[in-house]
């Protein structure tokens, strides 16, 4: 696992929605800025390390550490927070609810924060952003989920089945069904992954994922060559997709895939499966930013989400990009990064925490 600098917050035995628990759980996190500044929570995405979020932070960006206290919490299963790779024994079933409840514990207990300026996130980080907005609707001013969803769609679940099954098949394990991990043959014994199984399984997973992360137009115009600098499609498959996949732990990946596959903000009190009721509960001003060519979080799903928020709460804008899911991160498309940062800057400016629109307004009549 990465040697990057980060801290951990102890959670004790962490009770889960599944009825199971993570024994002696911890959440990994990284912060930027002064703890006295308005706070922003910026969760990690599927497979991402804490450092994979840094691309959107900087003094030249909206997420400016000189203006905000930025907290990046890591997903359970990412290898830094509690995960199969750092926890003995079988790992329990974890939900986005469980992750966000742990993040809330970190924010309130470790830092004493009682209100957030914003929660933002890409992909599975967007799912956590929606989760925050429905789980703790009074806790933030702004929510910005980009290239993600409040509920994992059926098509997305099917896509994840392909990724999951490619990884499991190398150990002669089949999927136990959507939302579950895997079922072994009855005559098989549970065993650790061999080095060869890891390599074959992860490379297969990477090649399955390659058809989803970027759009048809991205491949048609060969942006993997002209922008990313690969010498051809096989070079891209091996040195982008397989390299990414082989840097991961297969059991960690399976935990995060399960969490993602079961994502649904209505699976909590008081919504009890009523998705529209959960969306209507959102109070934070919410900017939903899907990608025009995203193959698994299409704009139509985001339009539906925004349409069920209360009037004046939700706003929709669409990445005008052929980079597919990668339009939203992790910073490979420079044009999309500029576009995203402009949307963030505008939305933060339009939605001041106390209704103030300018510093001059703040001090009007004082001097």
């Amino acid at each position: 696992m990465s040697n990057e600098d980060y801290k951990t917050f102890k959670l004790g035995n962490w009770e889960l929605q599944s009825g199971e628990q993570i024994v002696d759980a911890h959440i990994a996190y990284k912060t930027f800025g002064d703890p006295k500044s308005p706070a922003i929570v910026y969760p990690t995405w599927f497979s991402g390390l804490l450092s994979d979020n840094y691309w959107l932070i900087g003094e030249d960006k909206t997420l400016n550490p000189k203006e905000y206290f930025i907290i990046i919490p890591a997903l359970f299963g990412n290898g830094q927070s509690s995960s199969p790779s750092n926890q003995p024994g079988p790992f329990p079933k974890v939900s986005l609810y469980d992750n966000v409840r742990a993040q809330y514990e970190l924010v309130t207990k470790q830092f004493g924060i009682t209100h957030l300026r914003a929660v933002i996130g890409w992909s599975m980080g967007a799912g956590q952003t929606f989760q925050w907005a429905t789980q703790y609707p009074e806790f933030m001013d702004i929510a910005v989920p980009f290239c993600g969803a409040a509920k994992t769609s059926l098509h997305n679940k099917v896509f994840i089945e392909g990724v999951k099954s490619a990884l499991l098949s190398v150990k002669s394990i089949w999927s136990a069904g959507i939302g579950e991990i895997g079922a072994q043959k009855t005559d098989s014994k549970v065993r650790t992954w061999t080095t060869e199984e890891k390599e074959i399984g992860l490379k297969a997973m990477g090649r399955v994922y390659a058809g989803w992360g970027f759009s048809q137009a991205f491949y048609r115009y060969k942006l993997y060559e002209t922008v990313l600098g690969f010498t051809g499609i096989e070079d891209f498959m091996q040195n982008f997709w397989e390299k990414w996949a082989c840097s991961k732990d297969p059991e960690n990946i399976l935990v995060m895939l399960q969490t993602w596959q079961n994502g649904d903000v209505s699976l909590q009190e008081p919504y009890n499966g009523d998705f529209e009721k959960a969306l209507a509960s959102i109070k934070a001003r919410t900017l939903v930013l899907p990608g025009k060519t995203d193959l698994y979080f299409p704009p139509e799903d985001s339009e539906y989400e925004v349409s069920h928020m209360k009037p004046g709460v939700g706003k929709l804008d669409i990445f005008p990009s052929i980079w597919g899911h990668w339009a939203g991160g992790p910073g490979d498309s420079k044009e999309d990064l500029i576009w995203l940062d402009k949307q963030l800057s505008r939305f933060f400016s339009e939605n001041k925490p106390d209704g103030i629109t300018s510093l001059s307004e703040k001090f009007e009549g004082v001097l």
Side-chain angles (χ1 to χ4, degrees):
M1 190 45 63
S2 165
N3 293 320
E4 67 178 272
D5 174 41
Y6 63 89
K7 295 180 180 178
T8 58
F9 177 70
K10 298 290 186 183
L11 295 162
N13 294 336
W14 197 242
E15 301 296 330
L16 305 170
Q17 276 190 314
S18 63
E20 301 174 87
Q21 66 174 0
I22 304 174
V23 177
D24 193 22
H26 71 271
I27 184 171
Y29 66 95
K30 175 77 173 179
T31 64
F32 294 84
D34 187 337
K36 294 175 184 169
S37 299
I40 295 173
V41 169
Y42 174 30
T44 61
W45 42 280
F46 168 70
S47 88
L49 299 176
L50 293 161
S51 57
D52 290 322
N53 273 32
Y54 297 175
W55 57 275
L56 195 55
I57 299 169
E59 292 182 16
D60 60 337
K61 297 183 177 67
T62 304
L63 297 193
N64 183 349
K66 293 208 164 184
E67 292 186 32
Y68 299 108
F69 181 54
I70 302 157
I71 305 165
I72 305 175
L75 273 168
F76 289 130
N78 92 316
Q80 295 169 317
S81 289
S82 290
S83 307
S85 63
N86 60 36
Q87 190 108 355
F91 203 78
K93 187 176 186 176
V94 180
S95 68
L96 289 179
Y97 177 93
D98 299 323
N99 275 280
V100 168
R101 193 169 72 87
Q103 292 167 23
Y104 180 83
E105 191 87 350
L106 167 70
V107 166
T108 56
K109 300 279 179 69
Q110 178 69 7
F111 298 111
I113 293 168
T114 57
H115 192 79
L116 294 170
R117 177 69 181 115
V119 181
I120 75 163
W122 173 53
S123 192
M124 211 167 158
Q128 292 166 83
T129 301
F130 278 116
Q131 188 70 45
W132 263 99
T134 53
Q135 200 165 327
Y136 303 104
E138 305 276 2
F139 205 76
M140 73 226 67
D141 300 323
I142 289 171
V144 187
F146 48 101
C147 296
K151 180 180 181 178
T152 304
S153 71
L154 289 173
H155 183 251
N156 199 336
K157 290 180 180 183
V158 171
F159 147 55
I160 296 168
E161 275 299 290
V163 175
K164 179 179 75 177
S165 296
L167 187 53
L168 289 172
S169 64
V170 74
K171 288 181 73 177
S172 299
I173 298 173
W174 52 71
S175 170
I178 289 176
E180 304 301 327
I181 293 182
Q184 294 195 258
K185 291 180 179 177
T186 53
D187 60 347
S188 298
K189 292 182 180 179
V190 176
R191 57 183 173 76
T192 56
W193 296 70
T194 67
T195 302
E196 184 179 46
E197 284 170 343
K198 278 188 181 182
E199 183 177 7
I200 293 171
L202 289 168
K203 283 184 175 181
M205 182 194 79
R207 285 182 178 254
V208 171
Y209 219 108
W212 291 93
F214 296 101
S215 74
Q216 294 95 334
F218 172 92
Y219 284 104
R220 185 183 309 122
Y221 293 109
K222 298 185 177 180
L223 297 191
Y224 55 86
E225 293 180 1
T226 58
V227 179
L228 297 181
F230 293 93
T231 58
I233 191 64
E234 189 57 33
D235 182 29
F236 184 53
M237 295 294 278
Q238 290 181 23
N239 294 305
F240 183 92
W241 284 110
E242 289 184 353
K243 184 179 178 181
W244 160 74
C246 286
S247 71
K248 307 303 174 184
D249 178 277
E251 293 293 336
N252 289 353
I253 288 288
L254 289 167
V255 164
M256 288 182 285
L257 284 172
Q258 183 180 47
T259 302
W260 176 3
Q261 204 167 38
N262 289 313
D264 183 343
V265 295
S266 72
L267 299 181
Q268 57 176 316
E269 294 286 351
Y271 317 119
N272 300 311
D274 187 334
F275 184 52
E276 291 74 19
K277 182 180 179 182
L279 292 169
S281 77
I282 295 173
K283 296 184 177 180
R285 292 294 176 91
T286 303
L287 177 62
V288 182
L289 300 173
K292 180 181 178 181
T293 57
D294 194 326
L295 295 177
Y296 44 99
F297 296 116
E300 294 86 352
D301 291 346
S302 299
E303 289 166 3
Y304 183 84
E305 290 164 347
V306 171
S307 74
H308 284 85
M309 295 178 193
K310 287 181 178 169
V313 170
K315 180 180 178 182
L316 180 81
D317 211 337
I318 300 171
F319 279 89
S321 173
I322 66 169
W323 279 69
H325 188 57
W326 250 245
D332 291 334
S333 170
K334 304 309 176 192
E335 288 181 4
D336 291 322
L337 171 53
I338 292 168
W339 185 88
L340 171 61
D341 194 59
K342 283 181 179 177
Q343 307 312 306
L344 291 174
S345 176
R346 183 181 301 123
F347 198 67
F348 273 60
S349 179
E350 289 172 352
N351 295 281
K352 299 291 183 184
D354 53 5
I356 292 169
T357 57
S358 67
L359 284 175
S360 61
E361 180 181 323
K362 181 175 181 178
F363 293 108
E364 188 176 357
V366 175
L367 301 176

